[in-house]
Amino acid sequence: MNTQIVLDHGSGGLASQELIGSLFLRYLTNPHLHQLEDAAVLDGQAGRLAFSTDSYVVDPIFFPGGNIGELAVNGTINDLAMRGAKPLCLSLGLIIEEGLAMDTLEEIVRSIARACDYAGVPVVTGDTKVVPRGKADKIFINTSGIGVIRDGVEVSATQAVKDDVIILSGTLADHGITILTSREGLQVDGNLQSDTRPLHFLVQNILDQAAHAVHTMRDPTRGGLGTTLSEIAKTTGLCMEIEEKAIPVQGEVRAACELMGLDPLYLANEGKCVVFAAPEKAELILETMRATPEGRESAIIGRVTDVHPGRVVLTTISGGARLVEPLTGEPLPRIC
């Protein structure tokens, strides 16, 4: 067997079949994928369907706390979860550059399988293409997912209302700063790691407790918390008032941000969510989030008001106030 990916692996011929059989079906085994049909056929589901897709081009493809494979699985699961959906299955599309070491591809596929097993969400269909050297950067991945939304769940950026409490599920900027320091080869004291993880268990727990009280959920990925809140403020025409001292940031993340001149409000997170909830259920939801591994450091960081319509206002640690604008341009490319 070749030790590197060659163009023949994407030809659809014998080499492609061998790659699928010896690698993908070896790790991503399930009845749907083993059929090797052009499309997976799913049983009927009770409830509304949610459908999402995302592509992953992160550089480097391996980083502390994860790699591009599990990032692709968790990212699409979280996109479904943020609409209140229970993820059912994923598709997996790979664009592989000729010359990628077979061992590297196998490690990525293994991590995809581990992430799927942990989440309980299988890959049921997929595709692989190989492009000539120099036409890609090692590997790009697309994952799409289908989930089901139970009756009584209405979660959307448009649903946030005045007096909602804003809850953040954990520390900010872990993924973004880990990718940037890894790419730049910077050594930072502490244990910087990506926070990539699935959030659907946490989401289903809080929906079990208070589905009608949960109005909006978003995972602050590219653009970070600052951009996410700005988008919701613009969508609703309401004001997001947040407290800097209430926003959890790990010490090593803060130090790395200061070293690189970056604001953690704008760095990507891959395992955190922001929940907008009715105030009478906020403590119950916070307690439920903190009872999960992925929400242990959850905190109430602010409220929705009508003081400055369409704006995000941060009360700083010193007691001042500043407007938080959405991220502009692309200063942080290829972080997810």
Side-chain angles (χ1 to χ4, degrees):
M1 186 175 180
N2 288 316
T3 59
Q4 293 185 332
I5 288 291
V6 298
L7 289 174
D8 198 19
H9 283 125
S11 67
L14 183 59
S16 296
Q17 295 172 19
E18 290 177 348
L19 180 68
I20 292 169
S22 64
L23 183 60
F24 294 103
L25 293 183
R26 177 182 171 193
Y27 291 105
L28 302 173
T29 180
N30 64 69
H32 289 292
L33 201 58
H34 269 274
Q35 293 174 6
L36 296 179
E37 297 279 2
D38 286 342
V41 177
L42 309 176
D43 294 334
Q45 305 293 329
R48 293 158 293 159
L49 295 180
F51 179 43
S52 184
T53 190
D54 206 344
S55 299
Y56 298 84
V57 297
V58 64
D59 175 33
I61 58 175
F62 291 91
F63 45 81
N67 64 54
I68 190 172
E70 57 199 282
L71 187 69
V73 171
N74 294 335
T76 293
I77 285 175
N78 291 344
D79 286 342
L80 293 168
M82 292 306 103
R83 292 303 305 271
K86 178 182 179 181
L88 298 177
C89 58
L90 299 173
S91 71
L92 176 68
L94 303 176
I95 306 295
I96 308 172
E97 183 182 16
E98 178 189 16
L100 181 72
M102 194 64 74
D103 288 347
T104 299
L105 180 60
E106 182 170 355
E107 187 171 350
I108 291 170
V109 175
R110 277 203 305 264
S111 73
I112 290 172
R114 283 196 301 269
C116 288
D117 288 344
Y118 178 80
V121 183
V123 170
V124 297
T125 188
D127 182 54
T128 301
K129 293 291 188 298
V130 179
V131 296
R133 293 175 190 270
K135 300 298 183 183
D137 188 359
K138 297 180 278 294
I139 185 169
F140 300 149
I141 298 179
N142 174 273
T143 47
S144 298
I146 294 174
V148 63
I149 304 173
R150 70 176 91 168
D151 291 340
V153 172
E154 295 291 344
V155 178
S156 162
T158 63
Q159 297 294 311
V161 296
K162 181 175 175 291
D163 296 330
D164 270 356
V165 173
I166 306 173
I167 307 172
L168 178 64
S169 69
T171 53
L172 269 193
D174 299 336
H175 177 76
I177 202 66
T178 297
I179 295 299
L180 290 173
T181 53
S182 296
R183 188 185 304 167
E184 300 299 326
L186 295 178
Q187 298 296 319
V188 179
D189 290 340
N191 185 31
L192 287 181
Q193 289 203 346
S194 168
D195 59 352
T196 178
R197 67 181 65 176
L199 295 169
H200 60 309
F201 299 124
L202 177 151
V203 167
Q204 293 304 312
N205 284 349
I206 64 176
L207 293 178
D208 287 343
Q209 293 293 325
H212 292 289
V214 178
H215 299 151
T216 299
M217 291 187 288
R218 292 289 292 273
D219 55 339
T221 53
R222 282 189 303 169
L225 179 67
T227 301
T228 296
L229 293 181
S230 295
E231 290 173 353
I232 297 171
K234 183 178 180 181
T235 298
T236 60
L238 294 168
C239 176
M240 313 289 130
E241 295 191 14
I242 55 175
E243 301 276 343
E244 185 176 18
K245 65 181 179 183
I247 299 174
V249 180
Q250 296 193 71
E252 54 265 45
V253 171
R254 191 179 298 282
C257 286
E258 291 175 355
L259 178 67
M260 301 183 74
L262 298 170
D263 187 340
L265 281 178
Y266 293 107
L267 292 183
N269 312 269
E270 290 293 339
K272 305 291 164 46
C273 63
V274 190
V275 178
F276 290 67
E280 63 272 17
K281 296 291 186 182
E283 287 297 331
L284 172 61
I285 291 171
L286 178 64
E287 181 181 326
T288 302
M289 293 171 69
R290 285 177 172 172
T292 67
E294 56 271 38
R296 190 168 293 123
E297 296 174 279
S298 297
I300 294 175
I301 63 168
R303 291 182 179 277
V304 179
T305 73
D306 56 4
V307 176
H308 301 285
R311 309 303 295 268
V312 179
V313 180
L314 174 75
T315 299
T316 64
I317 291 175
S318 62
R322 74 174 173 95
L323 293 176
V324 177
E325 303 289 353
L327 185 68
T328 58
E330 184 62 294
L332 308 172
R334 297 192 59 188
I335 53 178
C336 58

